[in-house]
Amino acid sequence: MNTDQAMKSANTGFDVIVVGGGTNGLSAGCYLGMEGKKVLLLEALEKVGGMASSGYLIPEAPLHLVHPCALDMMSMRVHAQVPIELQLDRHGFRSVELTPGYVYLHPDGSSLVFWRDRERTAAEIRRYSANDAQAFLAFMGVIDMFLDIALPMMRVDPARTNLGAKLKLVATALKHRKLKPELMALMTGSAHQAARERFEHPVTVSAMCALTGLAGDISADGGGIYYALLGFLHRFGVGRVVGGMQQLSNAMRARLEELGGEVITSATVTEIVSRQGQVEGVRLADGRQFSARAVIAGCHPKVALEMVSEGEIPRQLLTRIAMAPANAKGSGPLKIDLALDGQIAVPRFEAARGDGLDLRKACLLIGTEEAVLENFSACARGEIPRLPYITTAAPSAVDPSQAPEGQDVLYIYPPVMPVNPREGWDAVRERVADQVVEQLSAYVDGIQGHVLGRWIEAAPDFTARLNTVNGCVVHIDTTSLRSSTMRPAYGLGGDTLPVAGLYLGSAGIHPGGGVNGMAGRLAAKRVNAYLRKPAK
Ligand SMILES: Cc1cc2nc3c(=O)[nH]c(=O)nc-3n(C[C@H](O)[C@H](O)[C@H](O)COP(=O)(O)OP(=O)(O)OC[C@H]3O[C@@H](n4cnc5c(N)ncnc54)[C@H](O)[C@@H]3O)c2cc1C
């Protein structure tokens, strides 16, 4: 921050302070700015974006753009009203759709493309099993029903009556009542069970496991809801931000500043100041204080509530949020980004398909049914999986501006790694990265012998850098019991907290994780309503 910024920030006449400049903090700030509110956004890191960021992080390869966290735009395509309402296109935000988006690679060289068109996906599956193709199309009917019920509810404040959304829900339920038993079985059972119930071929079953494993433990009861991903892929497709994820966050910052908001980076909040149940402002690590009638916590809900002045949040609620699940089953993300001196290729799989499809541009899923299951159970024991389940993509294959000409940057994301391996990540980080890269090289050519440098982060690294909990990518685990007003926990997901004027506004509240800005949008609406009430 320069001196001008510091001087300007001495101003205390803010309506709202937003703690954290991730997608949700930024979106909350923008929506409030659009309502004419004076917003101050404080971000601990040196730039905005949080988990939605990209940058040149590998010193040996200063022109290879790294995405240390989120890469794909699926969630924001589901909630496409956010970039439209915020007019982000005027601030340089552009995205492209991936065709195809996600492709499952089986060890024997076969592959299964999840096209946006369900008939094309069914045709892929038919290559392995006609029964599976038929079962897939029937399954998509159940998923459609699920999305038609869930999506309207994701777009409203669950603390309100929402008569319109509920009527839609009832109408959908009545229209598709024959599917109700299947929907109930899906929502209460595991993602693995749902795959096993319907599909017979190992490629189909494995592809479903590898896709849903991105959302959580495929053997956990209630994990059938992870098939929302399958529905999203087919209804909305997958996109990428042109120029890298940071462009989205920068566009949101630019919009906020255009609306008169102030953004201060490298500004760590240490206390959300509250007195007698009323929020007053925040205190920073460097001693500065800012006051406002309302504070939105765009950071993890546990981090937020533990920062509130002592004694202001009942001990019971602090315990409840401390125990809310964040990678509770012991598995969390590992990220490895490689700067390569050449380009990757996937010739074995392309040749086996024989249809000329360019797999370099897709997001590749690697991990059989057995591997995905083993990964989750190994992590629960604090062990490194034997054959890590991996998702990978070369962002530079879609957007060549992200690496020097003729070279690639490779995004490698094994989503199921132990949060706390027995040996500790410091002892195993490099070795596990080698293991993952070696395994990936059995599927993707052009990696071994071509690495200029790499960036590695495991769960504790995400926790430390982003001030989150257990490196959880969605702040609070995605389960049906942690949805709606029960997210992040019963008593904390409604439109009021024990401290008046304090609002949660991150992936840890409704409607949950992903780069979408919806939780921030919800928090902004709540704060707007609060500010309309006369000050006490
Ligand atoms: C490895 C990985 C891969 C992912 N892949 C995808 C993907 O491909 N597509 C997708 O849609 N989603 C993906 N996600 C999930 C998605 O990125 C997140 O769910 C979403 O970005 C969370 O946004 P948020 O604004 O709620 O929180 P965050 O992004 O966590 O932002 C919180 C911000 O608060 C700041 N902060 C914390 N404490 C303080 C403090 N005391 N003072 C000031 N600032 C503070 C942090 O620095 C951070 O910037 C991924 C996440 C990870 C980690």
Side-chain angles (χ1 to χ4, degrees), residues 20 22-24 43-44 50-51 69-72 267 269 298 467 473 475 507 514-515:
T23 317
N24 282 309
E43 166 54 50
M51 294 183 189
C69 298
L71 173 68
D72 286 337
V269 173
N467 195 19
V473 305
H475 289 192
V515 175

Side-chain angles (χ1 to χ4, degrees), residues 340 342-346 359-360 364 393-394 397 408 410 444-447:
L340 303 175
Q343 294 189 335
I344 61 146
V346 202
L359 292 179
R360 259 176 55 73
L364 306 174
D408 271 337
L410 190 61
V444 176
D445 289 5
I447 305 177

Side-chain angles (χ1 to χ4, degrees), residues 18-26 42-45 47-52 68-76 102 245 267-270 298-300 303 307 333-335 411 413 462 465-468 471-475 505-508 512-516 519:
V18 180
V19 181
T23 317
N24 282 309
L26 287 163
L42 300 164
E43 166 54 50
L45 297 176
K47 64 181 182 187
V48 295
M51 294 183 189
C69 298
L71 173 68
D72 286 337
M73 266 190 59
M74 190 193 303
S75 208
M76 197 168 247
Y102 283 44
M245 195 52 99
T268 303
V269 173
T270 50
C299 52
H300 191 287
V303 169
M307 280 197 294
L334 174 69
K335 259 311 302 301
Y411 174 100
Y413 175 22
F462 290 112
R465 182 168 65 82
L466 294 154
N467 195 19
T468 185
C472 184
V473 305
V474 289
H475 289 192
S506 79
V515 175
N516 57 53

